[in-house]
Amino acid sequence: MQLTQTSLKGKTALVTGAASGIGRNIALVFAQAGAAVAVADLNQAGADAVAQEIVAAGGRAIGVAMDVADEAQVDAGFARAVAELGEIDVLVANAGIQIVNPIEQFAFADWKRMLAIHLDGAFLATKAALRSMYKEQRGGVVLYMGSVHSHEASPLKSAYVAAKHGLLGLARVLAKEGGPKGVRSHVLCPGFVRTPLVDKQIPEQARELGISEQEVVRNVMLRNTVDGEFTTLDDVAQTALFLAAFPTAALTGQSITISHGWSMN
Ligand code: NAD
């Protein structure tokens, strides 16, 4: 068996939520590894900007407007990506938001919005990607953006924790259904990474918990790491690249935690 961990040459990837943060960096790293990348996001201007950055660096990419919670938009976005870049070999279902509140104050509408983006969005993107991956047994890799919160719980994050735990189930079913057809799946489980999603939470958590922002970082976000360090965008993207390029189903149905030791499940 030859390992080709770092090359996605000749592959087409679609990354959701790729206008910002973790998804953006995965799109850039996949493009550097040779993949053509569909940069999908609710924020079309942001997605176009990332695609332009890839093209300017000599890669192939398009920006695709897509609300992952809307089936028609997901299907239209995948159809455009396939028409312009070719059948999808790698899906990274990454789009996500965060809403924090104690359960008794958590609005039902917020709960439904969280599950719609994180879980319905992952399901709809998977279904669309499988149209490519099951075609003539082409196969492929689906990476879900879970979190340490796919394995652990934190106060104020009921919807997020429930959704991120749910992704483990979806990934495991896909590993079993897709295995015979050459489709593999994994859940990436990062600890805290400094992105707009996390930067927004720091003052919110400080307010909710009645502590300073510095204490939120030190005593809440990084308390259980082995070294008090944030996980970086590249830590996550390099792990995604390794799993996307791994050539056999020896690795499938797994969750990989990237967190400086916070949670060792
Ligand atoms: P981010 O806010 O930087 O980026 C999220 C992107 O998703 C944005 O570009 C946003 O426009 C897009 N998006 C939001 N709703 C969407 C929708 N309905 N359809 C399409 N796109 C949509 O956040 P991030 O920190 O990069 O988070 C990306 C993923 O990583 C999320 O699933 C998040 O839960 C997960 N995650 C983040 C961290 C962290 O510490 N930052 C840790 C673990 C997991």
Side-chain angles (χ1 to χ4, degrees):
M1 180 180 74
Q2 201 184 355
L3 288 178
T4 52
Q5 292 96 323
T6 50
S7 178
L8 292 178
K9 226 174 165 145
K11 303 287 186 192
T12 297
L14 186 146
V15 185
T16 69
S20 171
I22 291 173
R24 172 180 175 276
N25 203 52
I26 290 175
L28 296 176
V29 167
F30 278 17
Q32 277 162 15
V37 183
V39 180
D41 205 287
L42 197 57
N43 169 2
Q44 170 144 36
D48 287 343
V50 174
Q52 277 157 21
E53 204 177 327
I54 291 170
V55 171
R60 280 182 77 209
I62 57 168
V64 177
M66 183 190 289
D67 177 351
V68 295
D70 180 318
E71 186 173 17
Q73 287 192 33
V74 172
D75 288 348
F78 272 79
R80 199 180 138 222
V82 169
E84 296 195 26
L85 299 176
E87 300 289 354
I88 305 300
D89 302 292
V90 182
L91 162 65
V92 185
N94 164 78
I97 62 166
Q98 180 60 282
I99 300 174
V100 292
N101 239 330
I103 293 172
E104 73 278 13
Q105 289 167 29
F106 215 98
F108 187 34
D110 286 345
W111 168 271
K112 285 196 277 199
R113 183 156 165 253
M114 287 290 286
L115 267 60
I117 294 172
H118 287 274
L119 271 185
D120 298 359
F123 167 75
L124 291 172
T126 302
K127 219 176 151 185
L130 289 181
R131 280 184 214 119
S132 283
M133 295 176 184
Y134 284 172
K135 195 179 275 178
E136 294 154 10
Q137 305 270 93
R138 293 173 51 84
V141 177
V142 177
L143 302 177
Y144 297 100
M145 195 52 64
S147 161
V148 165
H149 284 110
S150 297
H151 296 281
E152 303 284 339
S154 294
L156 313 179
K157 296 190 174 175
S158 54
Y160 190 80
V161 170
K164 293 301 192 190
H165 274 62
L167 289 174
L168 296 176
L170 177 59
R172 289 169 182 159
V173 172
L174 177 61
K176 294 205 170 187
E177 288 184 5
K181 297 173 180 166
V183 173
R184 305 186 284 275
S185 69
H186 300 288
V187 184
L188 297 166
C189 299
F192 283 100
V193 183
R194 287 305 287 258
T195 66
L197 180 137
V198 163
D199 287 339
K200 178 172 162 280
Q201 278 177 66
I202 295 172
E204 285 174 0
Q205 291 217 22
R207 220 171 21 248
E208 283 287 343
L209 300 171
I211 56 180
S212 72
E213 294 189 13
Q214 203 181 28
E215 285 169 321
V216 170
V217 169
R218 202 179 46 229
N219 300 339
V220 179
M221 293 183 163
L222 303 179
R223 189 186 56 193
N224 293 316
T225 62
V226 296
D227 54 8
E229 297 283 341
F230 276 101
T231 300
T232 67
L233 291 171
D234 270 337
D235 294 331
V236 182
Q238 293 299 333
T239 308
L241 175 60
F242 170 77
L243 292 171
F246 194 83
T248 75
L251 274 177
T252 192
Q254 302 304 306
S255 76
I256 317 292
T257 303
I258 317 151
S259 67
H260 288 257
W262 170 30
S263 179
M264 297 190 185
N265 287 307

